Amino acid sequence: MRLDDPARLRAVAATGLVGRDASTRLGPVVRRAAAAADAPMALVSLVGEASQWHPAVVGAVPRELDVARSLCAVAIEREELLVVDDLDADARWSAMAGGGLRAYAGRPLSAPGGELLGTLCVLDVAPHVFGRSTSAALDDLAAWAEAELATAAGGDAGRARADELADLQARLLEATAHELRTPLTAIRAHAELLLDDPDGMSSGARASVEAILANAIGLQRSGDALLDALRRDAAGAEAAIRRRLGLTDR
């Protein structure tokens, strides 16, 4: 898969994890990968067009790396597990052995749509024979990492949807408040004007206007109480939606 594939780059960005630490979400995956391979370093990479970001790492691994020196990028382009037991022993990879790196095993990670996002990989500063057990562990743990990355991407989409719903609720409540208050305010104002002129109406008419005014005031208070209750319910519903989508801890 081409590193500059637009769909792939959109899928990488959609994880919402580029430039962020995701140790809480992905830390258990990389720790188990390092243990399974008996390697001092492990990471999840998200490979962009020019650089790759490591949202979760074990060991002395930089958080960002130029793609030109990235074995993860090679694994993505090949669309397969890449294993190099000794970088110095193979002319194809010796140029990527900087920073003391000598051994690498990385399994590409896919988005739900099939786009390759990066890799789950283990690394060593000494030659290291990664056997079948390491490959099998990377396959199993990559499925876990892929699920976490998909959840992260879904969380951002869910957050956007929750924000959209909250905005819609707010606008609906404001429109409802306007529709309730405007006629009641007008009725109350006209009733008060009529009552300001004690000689302009009979006692019976005055009693009727006073009843209208009292009812308008009562309706305004009831409407305000109703709107306050709706606002509390809306806030509670938004919080429930965010909890359900797992957006409260990010």
Side-chain angles (χ1 to χ4, degrees), residues 24 26 29 32 59 82 98 116 125-126 142-143 156 180 202 205 211 223 225 232:
T24 300
L26 293 167
V29 182
R32 292 196 185 186
L82 175 65
L116 297 182
V125 294
D156 281 349
L180 281 174
S202 65
R232 288 194 297 273

Side-chain angles (χ1 to χ4, degrees), residues 37-40 83-86 102-104 123-124 126-131 134:
D38 192 24
V83 178
V84 184
D85 294 331
D86 187 352
R102 288 290 299 274
Y104 173 95
L123 312 98
D124 205 334
H128 189 133
V129 177
F130 295 109
T134 295

Side-chain angles (χ1 to χ4, degrees), residues 52-67:
Q52 70 181 41
W53 176 257
H54 308 146
V57 303
V58 166
V61 182
R63 282 289 185 169
E64 193 167 18
L65 183 68
D66 193 304
V67 162

Side-chain angles (χ1 to χ4, degrees), residues 130-168:
F130 295 109
R132 291 182 179 178
S133 61
T134 295
S135 299
L138 287 177
D139 284 342
D140 292 341
L141 292 170
W144 182 4
E146 287 170 347
E148 293 294 347
L149 292 171
T151 300
D156 281 349
R159 180 179 294 103
R161 181 58 177 159
D163 289 343
E164 181 183 344
L165 289 173
D167 180 64
L168 179 61

Side-chain angles (χ1 to χ4, degrees), residues 6-245:
R8 193 193 74 80
L9 294 174
R10 285 194 297 270
V12 170
T15 66
L17 298 180
V18 176
R20 297 177 60 183
D21 178 13
S23 296
T24 300
R25 186 183 292 278
L26 293 167
V29 182
V30 293
R31 286 194 294 272
R32 292 196 185 186
D38 192 24
M41 297 177 286
L43 59 88
V44 167
S45 65
L46 294 171
V47 179
E49 188 173 1
S51 64
Q52 70 181 41
W53 176 257
H54 308 146
V57 303
V58 166
V61 182
R63 282 289 185 169
E64 193 167 18
L65 183 68
D66 193 304
V67 162
R69 297 184 58 236
S70 167
L71 289 165
C72 297
V74 175
I76 288 177
E77 290 176 329
R78 291 187 171 194
E79 302 187 23
E80 62 183 10
L81 176 72
L82 175 65
V83 178
V84 184
D85 294 331
D86 187 352
L87 292 168
D88 283 351
D90 192 326
R92 293 175 300 170
W93 315 119
S94 58
M96 296 183 178
L101 179 65
R102 288 290 299 274
Y104 173 95
R107 198 272 204 187
L109 299 174
S110 298
E115 302 88 355
L116 297 182
L117 305 171
T119 71
L120 170 64
C121 61
V122 290
L123 312 98
D124 205 334
V125 294
H128 189 133
V129 177
F130 295 109
R132 291 182 179 178
S133 61
T134 295
S135 299
L138 287 177
D139 284 342
D140 292 341
L141 292 170
W144 182 4
E146 287 170 347
E148 293 294 347
L149 292 171
T151 300
D156 281 349
R159 180 179 294 103
R161 181 58 177 159
D163 289 343
E164 181 183 344
L165 289 173
D167 180 64
L168 179 61
Q169 287 173 338
R171 287 188 282 115
L172 179 59
L173 284 171
E174 289 307 312
T176 302
H178 177 76
E179 294 298 324
L180 281 174
R181 288 172 176 160
T182 299
L184 289 174
T185 300
I187 292 170
R188 183 173 175 177
H190 283 87
E192 289 172 345
L193 284 174
L194 290 172
L195 292 175
D196 284 342
D197 183 8
D199 299 325
M201 68 181 77
S202 65
S203 59
R206 184 175 185 83
S208 296
V209 173
E210 287 174 345
I212 290 171
L213 178 59
N215 286 330
I217 292 172
L219 284 171
Q220 278 190 320
R221 290 172 178 167
S222 296
D224 288 342
L226 175 61
L227 289 169
D228 287 342
L230 288 173
R231 288 191 181 95
R232 288 194 297 273
D233 288 345
E238 181 187 351
I241 290 170
R242 290 179 183 276
R243 285 194 299 272
R244 181 68 183 85
L245 293 173

